[in-house]
Amino acid sequence: MLDSKKYFPTLANNPDLAYFDSAASTQTHEAVLKAMNNYYCNFRSNTNRGEYDISERTSNALDIAKQQVADLVNVSSDSIMFTSGTTQGLNMIARWMKDKKRIIVTEAEHNANIVPWLTQGKSSADESIIVMPINDFDGLINLNELETILEKTSDGWQDTMVSFCATSNVTGVTQPWQDIATLSHKYGATVCIDFCQTIAHHEIDLKENQIEFAVFSAHKMYGPTGIGVLYSSFDFNDLIPLYYGGGAVESVTFDSVILKQGVNKHCPGTPDIANIIGFGVACEMIKYVGYSLIKLQELDVLKHLLSYGIDVLPNCRVFPANGFEDSVISIIPITGHSSDIGQLMAHTGVAVRTGKVCAHPLVDRISGSKGIIRISFAPYNTEEDCEKLCRELAIALVKVK
Ligand code: PMP
């Protein structure tokens, strides 16, 4: 279901494209598109506001999709709400948690888990943001160092927030997020995890790990763009709504409003119906295929990349040093600029991502002004893609020398 281009219309319609930018966005599966199209063609209507047949169908489809998303991460559907994506989710969490005295993050954060905290007045200059460095060899943080920081800084449950991406969009390395959560909880911290780069590759059990907040986006997991999810173990009644309008209210006069209860009070306006339906199908599909098979299929792609010499390319180094274990491989050119290399490759029909990949602090540290060349793959990448990528990348790296 995931290991052939025929299921991914953009790949099927661009047969010469070697697409290695799945960490930016995976391709959308045809089953997702069919479900969305079915909504538009057969029961296109708003939800909950009509008693007629197609509006009922829409409401039911939304309930099913919500359950499908919740099931993938083993939580109740009352504990999740839809967002426009991980970025919106992290912004909301930063606004809710603005009174925390300090936020512990990793050096590998995406800007989406940095800027929302900065806008709440946090900063590393006054240690209201504390940054855990990652190891240049394996891309992991040091848990002993984290414990030392937590020990020093925990003066009450309200004070510390540990907010981090489980999987880096620069390295593809997944932190031991369960251990980080357990350790953080031991010292009374609140935990928020950005699973944006994790969800397509690794099983996530939010219930078992009792995370307070988690976010991810559908477009990184074969679903549509512009839709994501925010999970919280907190009672949504205790979180202040950040948006107001119709749909989230029980009653309104010109003097007062009674909001709905629970997660519904946070969801005014018409939901992104087609995208939510597509998101549900993407979750169902990943569950059906299973993470162990996905891993095997990704390993197959990696084997092809290695057999065509991804690990012996000229004029570059890989980051982290042990960087050939995940579905992201980041390469730093020794001479030349990453965007020049990206452009040379684009002319040959190879799509990779270059530059700072929205993780400025880490990419600045490891590459200076060069930026990285990020190769990210998925089960649909073929041996032919891998051969083309390695060939064109080697040529481009030599050209910029
Ligand atoms: N966090 C990480 C780790 C990401 O890779 C991304 C997307 N590149 C985001 C957050 C932001 O996700 P979105 O653009 O879907 O909001």
Side-chain angles (χ1 to χ4, degrees):
M1 264 181 120
L2 299 176
D3 61 343
S4 169
K5 290 188 181 182
K6 74 175 180 212
Y7 300 121
F8 296 91
T10 294
L11 299 179
N13 294 329
N14 292 277
D16 296 331
L17 175 68
Y19 184 74
F20 283 97
D21 199 18
S22 292
S25 249
T26 53
Q27 289 296 326
T28 306
H29 196 278
E30 67 170 15
V32 169
L33 296 169
K34 272 189 188 152
M36 292 169 68
N37 212 26
N38 184 36
Y39 160 70
Y40 277 122
C41 295
N42 293 310
F43 55 101
R44 167 75 175 79
S45 59
N46 213 321
T47 174
N48 283 338
R49 289 164 200 162
E51 267 105 40
Y52 49 93
D53 175 55
I54 59 169
S55 179
E56 277 293 305
R57 283 179 71 184
T58 297
S59 302
N60 290 340
L62 285 178
D63 288 345
I64 291 169
K66 201 168 188 201
Q67 194 61 53
Q68 288 167 321
V69 177
D71 283 350
L72 185 67
V73 286
N74 193 26
V75 292
S76 123
S77 62
D78 301 340
S79 58
I80 61 170
M81 60 178 285
F82 291 108
T83 61
S84 65
T86 301
T87 301
Q88 189 188 19
L90 289 168
N91 273 274
M92 292 172 73
I93 294 163
R95 284 171 71 186
W96 283 327
M97 297 290 114
K98 66 180 176 3
D99 293 333
K100 296 283 178 198
K101 277 196 196 149
R102 65 192 70 81
I103 318 299
I104 300 178
V105 300
T106 76
E107 189 190 8
E109 295 315 317
H110 188 278
N111 297 345
N113 190 38
I114 303 173
V115 185
W117 298 113
L118 297 179
T119 61
Q120 295 306 326
K122 312 292 178 206
S123 148
S124 70
D126 64 6
E127 296 195 335
S128 54
I129 293 181
I130 297 177
V131 184
M132 297 294 310
I134 63 160
N135 186 315
D136 286 3
F137 175 69
D138 56 18
L140 294 172
I141 64 163
N142 181 323
L143 290 186
N144 294 331
E145 259 175 62
L146 174 63
E147 180 148 28
T148 308
I149 292 171
L150 283 165
E151 244 169 354
K152 253 201 312 212
T153 56
S154 66
D155 36 12
W157 72 270
Q158 282 141 323
D159 292 321
T160 303
M161 177 101 197
V162 178
S163 183
F164 64 102
C165 61
T167 308
S168 158
N169 71 316
V170 175
T171 63
V173 170
T174 299
Q175 302 291 336
W177 56 270
Q178 300 92 330
D179 297 341
I180 296 174
T182 307
L183 201 55
S184 305
H185 287 146
K186 182 174 154 193
Y187 291 94
T190 302
V191 176
C192 165
I193 308 188
D194 166 0
F195 285 114
C196 202
Q197 293 289 345
T198 322
I199 189 75
H201 312 286
H202 301 281
E203 188 164 357
I204 294 164
D205 189 327
L206 292 176
K207 197 189 216 162
E208 190 183 313
N209 291 283
Q210 310 212 325
I211 312 297
E212 281 81 11
F213 291 106
V215 284
F216 52 92
S217 302
H219 70 100
K220 311 269 190 195
M221 49 185 295
Y222 314 105
T225 57
I227 188 85
V229 72
L230 183 159
Y231 157 83
S232 184
S233 65
F234 288 140
D235 184 341
F236 275 94
N237 286 310
D238 297 337
L239 298 168
I240 294 168
L242 302 174
Y243 306 95
Y244 295 93
V249 296
E250 290 294 352
S251 69
V252 180
T253 68
F254 282 108
D255 300 312
S256 66
V257 54
I258 299 174
L259 294 174
K260 283 187 177 164
Q261 289 291 297
V263 78
N264 290 333
K265 81 176 196 183
H266 296 275
C267 306
T270 299
D272 195 347
I273 298 169
N275 273 340
I276 292 172
I277 292 171
F279 191 4
V281 172
C283 291
E284 183 77 19
M285 190 177 56
I286 287 185
K287 209 165 178 178
Y288 176 78
V289 175
Y291 284 103
S292 38
L293 182 57
I294 292 175
K295 186 84 230 158
L296 286 177
Q297 292 172 343
E298 288 172 355
L299 275 175
D300 266 351
V301 181
L302 183 58
K303 272 187 213 148
H304 291 313
L305 287 170
L306 289 167
S307 76
Y308 288 104
I310 191 82
D311 54 341
V312 290
L313 291 166
N315 189 33
C316 68
R317 63 190 170 86
V318 68
F319 184 89
N322 186 30
F324 295 108
E325 284 187 358
D326 300 286
S327 55
V328 172
I329 298 172
S330 280
I331 283 170
I332 303 166
I334 289 167
T335 53
H337 196 280
S338 64
S339 61
D340 295 335
I341 294 163
Q343 267 172 29
L344 286 169
M345 295 177 74
H347 290 141
T348 68
V350 180
V352 294
R353 178 82 26 164
T354 60
K356 299 194 178 179
V357 302
C358 292
H360 287 212
L362 179 61
V363 176
D364 281 343
R365 171 170 79 79
I366 63 175
S367 79
S369 59
K370 289 182 182 9
I372 59 170
I373 302 155
R374 185 182 70 188
I375 295 143
S376 54
F377 53 89
Y380 43 62
N381 284 114
T382 60
E383 179 172 357
E384 216 182 348
D385 289 343
C386 296
E387 190 274 328
K388 186 169 174 182
L389 170 89
C390 293
R391 176 171 27 94
E392 297 305 337
L393 185 51
I395 293 171
L397 282 163
V398 170
K399 269 195 188 153
V400 297
K401 214 170 174 177

